[in-house]
Amino acid sequence: MTETAAATLGAFMDAELTSQPEVWAQAIAQAQAENLLPADGERVAVIGCGTSWFMAQSYAVAREAAGKGVTDPFAASEAFLGSERQYDVVVAITRSGTTTEVLEILTELKGSVRTVALVGDVTSPIMALADAVVELPYADEQSVVQTRFATTALVYLLTSVGMDLSAAVEDAKSAVTAPVEQELLDAEQFTFLGRGWTVGLAHEAGLKMREAVQGWTESYPAMEYRHGPISIAAPNRVTWLFGEQPEGLDKDMERTGALYIHSDKHPLAELARVHRVTLERARVRGLNPDLPRNLTRSVILDA
Ligand code: F1P
């Protein structure tokens, strides 16, 4: 494949990931103007699949850390939502609004537990199932690999629990367009780390590279990393930390010979940076992240 042909791969993903700072600003304004999410003190479960599950993890930690009430994240296929858990509200995150596991839960809960869905496709079946909908059609995407829908839904959710994301918007402006260093294009393996609400971002970064680059990635809570996974770190491999650095991790990383990335940029902007790195890594390998191997835009299971 010529360099010019490679540069056109992932054209949707390119436009979508690049638009993140603007779209996030729109979601911040929307979150400040709406009041659709659970009230402070309510017991909340958050569900999603794939990327949406990882955004659920980030929101859950941020909401609880902000003192807004118990918030448990679940993969929709493994959610425990029985009455003994006493959830007041179930929040669902889904770009497509067609993901089977999510629709099944909302169908089951109809009339018993209040549900709120954050949705990209506002013509999808979930619109009739959820009690309230946060409509994010301007963040919907054509690429199978999600970038801006997920981060925009999270920006909305984090704003709702009082996080000021103006630094994220500012930092993302350069993160989405800056050229990618050769070292990052060539690296054999990536491990992503996070703490608190950024653990979900780390898992999402790892999934992104698996989906779009078919590459070897891992992700952990940062304090877990030294309990085994650090043995993977080596020259020509990358360890990328989002958020607060555990004491001494930089020194430990120096000894491994791996490239260690821990910037002072906002963690969400760092995830947007990973989106750009992911796209360029896919392109140099001749892969099209708009249509990745074995994936579809939404997983719709046979009845
Ligand atoms: C969630 C999801 C994506 C994944 C894949 C299949 O979809 O699992 O995260 O990348 O394309 O669908 P959704 O419920 O957010 O539409």
Side-chain angles (χ1 to χ4, degrees):
M1 184 176 301
T2 65
E3 242 174 67
T4 334
T8 62
L9 290 168
F12 287 130
M13 180 181 178
D14 197 345
E16 288 155 3
L17 82 87
T18 306
S19 71
Q20 285 178 108
E22 287 150 51
V23 176
W24 293 354
Q26 205 172 331
I28 292 169
Q30 186 182 348
Q32 286 165 345
E34 291 179 345
N35 187 21
L36 297 168
L37 291 170
D40 290 1
E42 285 189 305
R43 289 177 65 88
V44 173
V46 201
I47 59 164
C49 295
T51 293
S52 296
W53 173 36
F54 297 135
M55 298 302 105
Q57 293 177 2
S58 284
Y59 168 54
V61 177
R63 182 172 184 270
E64 236 182 92
K68 308 281 186 192
V70 167
T71 316
D72 298 325
F74 294 105
S77 54
E78 298 290 348
F80 296 95
L81 305 176
S83 56
E84 67 283 5
R85 302 184 82 89
Q86 299 182 324
Y87 291 119
D88 299 304
V89 186
V90 171
V91 175
I93 305 173
T94 173
R95 177 179 69 173
S96 62
T98 52
T99 297
T100 302
E101 295 93 321
V102 174
L103 294 185
E104 277 179 1
I105 288 182
L106 294 203
T107 306
E108 222 169 281
L109 295 179
K110 193 93 188 147
S112 59
V113 178
R114 193 150 48 87
T115 58
V116 183
L118 288 93
V119 180
D121 181 351
V122 296
T123 64
S124 62
I126 202 164
M127 301 299 288
L129 280 177
D131 296 319
V133 177
V134 172
E135 299 189 14
L136 301 168
Y138 56 87
D140 200 3
E141 296 169 296
Q142 282 175 275
S143 177
V144 165
V145 167
Q146 289 201 29
T147 54
R148 77 170 173 205
F149 174 77
T151 55
T152 303
L154 184 59
V155 161
Y156 185 103
L157 291 164
L158 296 178
T159 302
S160 78
V161 297
M163 222 185 257
D164 175 1
L165 295 176
S166 41
V169 173
E170 255 337 282
D171 289 347
K173 286 178 185 165
S174 49
V176 294
T177 51
V180 177
E181 299 83 346
Q182 195 61 43
E183 213 176 353
L184 293 179
L185 293 176
D186 295 342
E188 171 198 26
Q189 189 274 341
F190 282 72
T191 299
F192 297 99
L193 308 176
R195 296 202 77 182
W197 73 273
T198 66
V199 174
L201 301 189
H203 292 325
E204 166 55 7
L207 177 67
K208 217 70 312 173
M209 274 196 193
R210 288 194 290 278
E211 287 180 331
V213 190
Q214 298 166 17
W216 173 20
T217 66
E218 309 211 355
S219 54
Y220 302 94
M223 291 296 285
E224 273 297 302
Y225 185 53
R226 288 178 284 204
H227 294 275
I230 196 169
S231 58
I232 297 301
N236 197 33
R237 296 180 182 176
V238 179
T239 298
W240 196 326
L241 171 68
F242 300 107
E244 193 195 326
Q245 174 173 261
E247 178 77 37
L249 184 60
D250 46 351
K251 293 278 171 317
D252 294 333
M253 286 312 301
E254 246 173 66
R255 287 190 282 275
T256 68
L259 173 64
Y260 174 53
I261 303 178
H262 175 228
S263 91
D264 55 4
K265 301 281 191 243
H266 194 282
L268 270 170
E270 282 291 281
L271 179 58
R273 181 75 194 132
V274 170
H275 292 155
R276 170 57 62 191
V277 172
T278 298
L279 174 59
E280 301 310 332
R281 281 173 63 80
R283 283 175 167 167
V284 295
R285 288 163 180 75
L287 299 169
N288 181 5
D290 289 342
L291 293 170
R293 182 176 68 183
N294 306 339
L295 293 180
T296 48
R297 177 178 149 82
S298 162
V299 175
I300 302 174
L301 303 171
D302 293 336

